[in-house]
């Protein structure tokens, strides 16, 4: 009998030669079906420079969220979300951005045309568009970028690995080489007269392609395109499906770096995926091996387990004292925008950006962090410099959370998981409230203050009372008298100090309508996040809403409860604006 009947506990022989302390047994997993990378592709190994190299500068980062990342979404970004994401990338400082696959959809084509028809792309930003090696699709791609004033890179790709050649394309090496050269010739013919245009080629599944064949194709393309230092060609070498340890990828990149023709006219780029969970390491070792450019997605969205996470890569450099050349000074705003655009949540343990990555739950960790923070403050004062200028050496915190716009409250004042977890459990069990993670952290700090003052255990009833007192406002100086949704418009009636104000707002949701009405009345508030759910069932059920807001220079949380989700959300906004003062 077993409590896990779907699992087959390994019961085979202990591995031959295993030491006495290792009693693991052979499992029933069909591992023999698979071949290691060395039996799938020859890895050219010779003298290695990369193990002794050091990272000293940031590579050129190229976010592919708007193309590769977008293709991996269950719901691809609509034009508004795509534009919002593009504007975020510009604000963060990215200077080369892959903006779409214009031959694949009208939405992508139209977005590329938006860059031609507007000035949303600053003049120093290079626009990259993606196309397979097929003439009609190349024609469509070239048409999409016609008239763009920015520098443009046309990115041609074809899969080159044996399985893809044989199973997908049905071509041998010679036939595939001709297909790729023909595509490169079409790109040159159709786009060469465009101003400010450069070219890029990706041998898709490079990491499973024979090294000599990858080199032969890349040299053929750079020769045809006449790569030079004045007009370089980007050769992008993807680990399309990650199949080996990162050192193998580094060997493959160094082989190309050493042997490519026209090397001074080549921008050597990598595009690692994360199937083995080592995409970050692959990218870092590839840069050590000669790569100058890294394609990936902010926070690592992409097919299967994702593209390499270029935010983590950049902040890894920051943690080593190297300027990442990208701004992450408000990591939560970046996360909120990415989550909105992709409709994908960022995991709370995600490196650097997760809600919990700067929070210690262990008492020993908290003690070390507390002492480290005290020493940091004292050392900065003794040096007569600001804390932000002092060398960072706080235990357990690889970087200063303030660098990312995070406060120290979540690091030091939220004392343990049991406290925060217990608070969330009591409110959910007794009152049906399912608090967002960051609200749990904010409330835990206030509960800690309360328990420090009283020295007593806090009951579920006391906890709910404290919650309501903290996140609702009973004496409101501005009130919502009424609201109505009809014919695509939302009518709002506010009472500010006894004076009613009526307004109508079209083509926006009720929350946006209310914030617009408040703004017109002189009460500006920005809603950063909104979470809603129902409590109870049937006629006895109610709706609750939690809003994270910014007013003036402070952020906070507010709570609303009512008979409908909309009414609860509006109540939460009114509590927020009244709490903001």
């Amino acid at each position: 009998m077993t409590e896990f009947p779907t699992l087959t506990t390994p019961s085979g022989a202990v591995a031959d030669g295993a030491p006495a302390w290792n009693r693991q047994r052979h499992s029933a997993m069909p591992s023999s079906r698979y071949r290691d990378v060395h039996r799938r592709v020859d890895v050219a190994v010779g003298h290695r420079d990369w193990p002794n190299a050091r990272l000293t500068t940031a590579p050129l980062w190229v976010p592919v969220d708007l193309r590769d990342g977008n293709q991996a979404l269950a719901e691809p970004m609509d034009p508004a979300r795509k534009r919002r994401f593009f504007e975020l990338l510009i604000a963060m400082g990215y200077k080369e951005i892959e903006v779409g696959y214009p031959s694949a959809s009208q939405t992508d084509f139209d977005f590329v045309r938006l860059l031609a028809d507007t000035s949303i792309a600053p003049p120093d930003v290079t626009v990259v568009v993606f196309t397979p090696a097929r003439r009609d699709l190349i024609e469509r791609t070239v048409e999409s970028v016609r008239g763009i004033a920015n520098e443009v890179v046309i990115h041609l790709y074809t899969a080159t690995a044996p399985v893809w050649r044989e199973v997908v394309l049905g071509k041998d090496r010679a036939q595939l080489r001709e297909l790729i050269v023909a595509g490169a010739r079409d790109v040159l013919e159709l786009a060469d007269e465009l101003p400010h245009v450069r070219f890029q080629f990706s041998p898709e599944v490079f990491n499973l392609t024979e090294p000599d064949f990858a080199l032969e194709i890349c040299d053929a393309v750079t020769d045809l395109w006449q790569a030079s230092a004045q007009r370089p060609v980007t050769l992008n070498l993807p680990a399309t499906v990650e199949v080996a340890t990162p050192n193998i990828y580094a060997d493959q990149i160094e082989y190309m770096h050493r042997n490519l023709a026209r090397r001074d006219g080549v921008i050597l780029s990598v595009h690692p995926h994360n199937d083995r969970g080592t995409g970050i390491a692959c990218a870092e070792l590839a840069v050590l091996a000669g790569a100058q450019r890294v394609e990936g997605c902010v926070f690592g969205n992409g097919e299967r387990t994702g593209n390499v996470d270029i935010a983590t890569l950049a902040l890894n450099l920051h943690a080593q004292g190297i300027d990442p050349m990208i701004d992450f000074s408000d990591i939560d705003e970046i996360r909120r925008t990415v989550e909105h655009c992709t409709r994908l949540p960022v995991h709370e343990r995600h490196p650097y950006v997760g809600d919990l990555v700067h929070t210690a739950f262990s008492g020993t960790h908290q003690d070390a962090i507390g002492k480290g923070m005290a020493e940091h403050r004292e050392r900065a004062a003794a040096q007569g410099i600001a804390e932000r200028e002092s060398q960072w050496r706080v235990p357990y915190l690889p970087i200063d959370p303030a660098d990312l716009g995070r406060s120290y409250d979540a690091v030091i004042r939220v004392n343990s998981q049991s406290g925060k977890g217990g608070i969330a459990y009591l409110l959910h069990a007794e009152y049906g409230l399912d608090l967002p993670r960051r609200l749990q952290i904010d409330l835990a700090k206030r509960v800690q203050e309360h328990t420090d003052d009283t020295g007593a255990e806090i009951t579920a009833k006391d906890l709910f009372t404290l919650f309501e007192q903290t996140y609702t406002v009973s004496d409101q100086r501005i009130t919502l008298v009424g609201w109505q949704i009809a014919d695509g418009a939302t009518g709002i009636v506010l009472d500010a100090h006894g004076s009613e104000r009526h307004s109508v707002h079209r083509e926006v949701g009720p929350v946006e309508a209310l914030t617009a009405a408040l703004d017109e009345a002189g009460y500006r508030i920005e809603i950063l996040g909104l979470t809603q759910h129902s409590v109870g069932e049937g006629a006895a059920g109610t709706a609750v809403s939690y809003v994270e807001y910014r007013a003036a220079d402070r952020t906070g949380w507010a709570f609303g409860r009512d008979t409908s989700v909309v009414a609860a959300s509006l109540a939460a906004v009114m509590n927020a604006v009244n709490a903001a003062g």
Side-chain angles (χ1 to χ4, degrees), residues 516-531:
L518 289 167
D519 191 25
E520 292 172 2
Y523 298 89
R524 182 169 180 76
I525 190 164
E526 181 183 3
I527 303 303
L528 303 177
L530 172 65
T531 304

Side-chain angles (χ1 to χ4, degrees), residues 26 36 73 88 135 141 168 170 186 198 233 251 254 263 283 326 328 357 368 380 383 385 474 490 509 534 538 562:
H26 285 291
D36 69 65
L73 297 175
L88 171 69
R135 186 176 178 89
T141 302
V168 181
D186 288 339
R198 291 191 290 107
V233 167
D251 285 341
E254 184 160 329
R263 183 62 186 89
I326 303 296
F328 294 93
V357 295
Q383 294 171 333
I385 60 176
S474 56
T490 302
S534 59
D562 213 308

